[in-house]
Amino acid sequence: MRKKVFSISLFLLCTFAFIGCQKTPDTLVVIPKDAEQMLEEATNAMPNEDVIASFKDSIFAPETYEYEFTDQDNKLKIEIDAYISLPDEQSIPIVRVVPADFDEAVVKRIFENLCNGYSMYDMNQRLSKSEIEEQILVWKQLRQSPDYIKTDESEAEIDEWIKRLEQEYQTAPDNKQTVLVNGNLYPIPIKDTRGNILTTRMGIDARGENGNRQLSFNVSNNAGLNNSLANRLFESMEDTPATHVGALIRFTDNIVFENGWEWSKVERIADINVIPDIAQEKLNITPAQAQNMVDKILEQTDMSLSAMELYTDSEQSEYAYKLFYTRKVEGVACAITSASTEGKDMYAPSWAYEQLNVLVKDEGIIEFFWISPVTVTDTITSSTQLMTFPEIIDTFQKMSIITYAPMTKYDNNTLTTLCVEKIELSLQRINEANTTNSGLLIPAWSFYGEITTTESDGGKSKLKTGSDCIFTINAIDGSVIDLILGY
């Protein structure tokens, strides 16, 4: 076995030695990770205190880093002009985490700050008799539609819906009952695609309006579910068997949609005390004032600001600040990760990485999204032994080429460009084997930037923006972490 491992390592070493003078490789070599061995490496080695003066010195990390690569076919280009972000702490832990629900006191504080001055009503009240009559009529009229295709299956579906509505009608109230929401959690029914109530969860589903402004506030906790980890992010009339692990808070002010649904990054905020030049005539609040708005809401949580960017709407007529918050564990921040770990099949649950993103304008907070909070159950080590920065960069230079080379094979794609603007040492969650019940937060290097593809007609598409992590390397053993697989 030892000879076999040595042969594989020697083969990879020889392969990487010739990357600079060969064509871009076609496939990514995936090496399974041994979690027990990794944790042993992380805790066993002891630094030489006589040699190492500081944490930064121990990993030989510079303040900035530059690098350029273009393959022989001029179809893959990698550019790094990045600043290096390190924790303020002198050590980085490894901890075990599990999915958590939102504390009701935290929910109430967020609700009161975001919905202040609005009457918010529960959207999960029973239908009135008149509303049910309208729905029955809609189903009956469907049969008369010129687009209706009559089959045994479609007829049975309509009959089933009408039968269910007629049963509900027998006990329905004469008038719609409106219930004010005050920020306290309450049971919300979860229905299948036929409208049958399967179970309940604790949460909030509220709407409110004041003039032309409409607000929505949603909370989805896992408490009360038959399966404590299964929670749909979005309900649909179509079959969506896959479930999502993790709780959710989502707030939206319809101002965010006035000029379309898409907001996109303009630039990274370099000075929080100054309004960016391009937004001087559109914004009156500084980035620092925007941060203060959000910090006030989150002051009793473990979430802290990790990044801030200037965003614009789809018409480029309005601007807002987008703030990215991450959890801090023993003083070390977690990485900003927008992906979810996916199960092995479509029916397996996926576990989103914790995210907290907030969009702020002069009017206040217009969008608030917090998903998949976690709680720490135990500490594996408080001081992890790490590879040096040069070793990590060596891995990036080799494996980023192999990882993104397949994108150059697309027919229309003439150039794929990776631009890295930030390299950060932080905590990244990896899944433990065969479970979505727990994971490990481990030290990892996250490379943030943009991925742009150029097509044959000159058109360009951005697949990732500056706030997205485009590459992640385990800081303990130098292995590449696949954020979708979760290891």
Side-chain angles (χ1 to χ4, degrees):
M1 179 65 183
R2 183 180 297 272
K3 289 182 178 179
K4 184 176 180 181
V5 172
F6 175 76
S7 299
I8 293 174
S9 301
L10 181 60
F11 168 75
L12 291 175
L13 181 62
C14 293
T15 300
F16 291 146
F18 290 96
I19 279 181
C21 57
Q22 289 186 345
K23 290 188 176 180
T24 303
D26 294 331
T27 58
L28 171 64
V29 178
V30 178
I31 304 174
K33 302 172 181 63
D34 186 328
E36 291 184 5
Q37 181 180 345
M38 178 196 71
L39 293 178
E40 186 177 345
E41 292 176 6
T43 56
N44 280 354
M46 296 298 293
N48 185 339
E49 296 181 358
D50 294 332
V51 176
I52 297 172
S54 69
F55 171 71
K56 180 180 178 182
D57 293 337
S58 72
I59 58 175
F60 303 102
E63 294 185 357
T64 61
Y65 181 75
E66 296 182 7
Y67 167 76
E68 286 190 7
F69 167 84
T70 303
D71 70 354
Q72 288 188 354
D73 298 326
N74 290 318
K75 297 194 72 173
L76 177 64
K77 189 173 185 179
I78 300 175
E79 299 176 341
I80 299 180
D81 186 1
Y83 67 97
I84 312 301
S85 177
L86 300 175
D88 293 332
E89 305 299 313
Q90 290 301 302
S91 62
I92 302 181
I94 297 177
V95 298
R96 180 169 284 108
V97 294
V98 296
D101 278 342
F102 290 106
D103 181 77
E104 188 166 31
V106 172
V107 171
K108 193 172 182 67
R109 183 166 59 252
I110 295 173
F111 177 89
E112 290 174 346
N113 277 273
L114 298 181
C115 302
N116 183 36
Y118 285 76
S119 296
M120 303 294 290
Y121 294 94
D122 177 29
M123 299 301 293
N124 283 274
Q125 298 305 303
R126 296 181 61 196
L127 296 174
S128 66
K129 279 185 164 61
S130 61
E131 288 174 322
I132 293 175
E133 289 171 351
E134 290 176 3
Q135 288 199 13
I136 292 174
L137 182 61
V138 168
W139 281 107
K140 290 181 176 179
Q141 289 176 337
L142 178 60
R143 285 191 166 109
Q144 312 304 320
S145 170
D147 298 324
Y148 176 67
I149 300 176
K150 184 177 180 179
T151 64
D152 291 343
E153 187 180 42
S154 63
E155 286 291 294
E157 183 177 5
I158 292 177
D159 289 340
E160 184 178 344
W161 271 102
I162 292 176
K163 179 181 178 181
R164 185 185 65 79
L165 288 167
E166 288 175 343
Q167 291 174 342
E168 189 176 344
Y169 183 87
Q170 301 305 315
T171 58
D174 292 329
N175 299 305
K176 185 75 170 182
Q177 299 172 345
T178 57
V179 177
L180 277 171
V181 173
N182 61 5
N184 292 328
L185 302 175
Y186 54 87
I188 295 177
I190 294 180
K191 301 178 181 180
D192 63 16
T193 57
R194 303 291 184 183
N196 301 308
I197 296 177
L198 301 176
T199 182
T200 61
R201 58 171 168 79
M202 297 302 292
I204 295 174
D205 184 6
R207 303 289 186 277
E209 58 182 57
N210 185 354
N212 65 342
R213 294 185 68 177
Q214 298 178 342
L215 307 185
S216 65
F217 188 90
N218 302 89
V219 180
S220 300
N221 265 354
N222 292 312
L225 291 175
N226 290 337
N227 178 349
S228 63
L229 293 178
N231 184 22
R232 296 182 191 277
L233 280 176
F234 304 101
E235 294 183 4
S236 169
M237 292 301 292
E238 299 179 359
D239 291 333
T240 52
T243 53
H244 301 260
V245 174
L248 166 74
I249 295 178
R250 181 174 61 235
F251 164 83
T252 304
D253 186 326
N254 70 324
I255 285 179
V256 75
F257 303 128
E258 283 185 347
N259 294 308
W261 290 77
E262 296 294 331
W263 285 73
S264 57
K265 175 191 171 183
V266 178
E267 60 186 54
R268 179 173 63 88
I269 299 298
D271 186 346
I272 65 171
N273 296 307
V274 178
I275 299 172
D277 291 341
I278 195 172
Q280 287 281 346
E281 296 182 2
K282 294 292 184 178
L283 289 173
N284 293 314
I285 62 169
T286 64
Q289 291 171 319
Q291 180 183 348
N292 288 338
M293 287 187 199
V294 185
D295 286 349
K296 176 184 176 183
I297 299 175
L298 301 173
E299 59 186 6
Q300 296 182 30
T301 71
D302 294 325
M303 309 302 286
S304 62
L305 184 69
S306 284
M308 190 187 315
E309 296 172 349
L310 181 68
Y311 267 57
T312 188
D313 60 19
S314 55
E315 299 294 327
Q316 296 185 342
S317 60
E318 297 293 335
Y319 291 89
Y321 302 113
K322 189 164 187 177
L323 292 79
F324 300 84
Y325 282 74
T326 60
R327 184 171 300 277
K328 272 195 172 182
V329 178
E330 297 186 20
V332 181
C334 293
I336 302 172
T337 312
S338 59
S340 297
T341 59
E342 301 293 342
K344 294 182 178 179
D345 59 65
M346 66 179 296
Y347 295 97
S350 62
W351 185 8
Y353 296 100
E354 185 169 19
Q355 300 176 57
L356 203 175
N357 306 329
V358 188
L359 205 59
V360 182
K361 290 184 61 181
D362 289 341
E363 294 87 344
I365 294 172
I366 60 174
E367 191 171 53
F368 183 100
F369 182 80
W370 189 356
I371 189 173
S372 286
V374 296
T375 186
V376 176
T377 59
D378 61 285
T379 300
I380 309 299
T381 178
S382 293
S383 183
T384 311
Q385 303 308 311
L386 308 178
M387 296 180 68
T388 65
F389 181 80
E391 290 173 319
I392 296 298
I393 283 297
D394 185 56
T395 297
F396 175 85
Q397 291 177 2
K398 296 168 182 175
M399 298 307 292
S400 61
I401 298 170
I402 298 175
T403 300
Y404 287 101
M407 295 182 63
T408 66
K409 306 302 181 183
Y410 299 153
D411 291 339
N412 260 352
N413 187 5
T414 60
L415 177 64
T416 298
T417 305
L418 279 68
C419 292
V420 178
E421 60 183 40
K422 175 184 177 183
I423 305 174
E424 179 181 63
L425 178 60
S426 53
L427 293 174
Q428 175 65 57
R429 195 193 80 215
I430 61 172
N431 288 356
E432 295 196 89
N434 303 317
T435 181
T436 51
N437 291 316
S438 65
L440 296 174
L441 288 179
I442 68 168
W445 287 95
S446 296
F447 293 72
Y448 295 98
E450 297 181 347
I451 301 177
T452 305
T453 59
T454 304
E455 299 180 356
S456 54
D457 61 1
K460 294 186 177 183
S461 299
K462 282 189 178 181
L463 305 182
K464 296 276 190 178
T465 64
S467 57
D468 287 324
C469 181
I470 62 177
F471 209 80
T472 305
I473 299 176
N474 187 323
I476 302 167
D477 62 13
S479 59
V480 177
I481 297 176
D482 187 318
L483 296 178
I484 302 300
L485 295 177
Y487 57 82

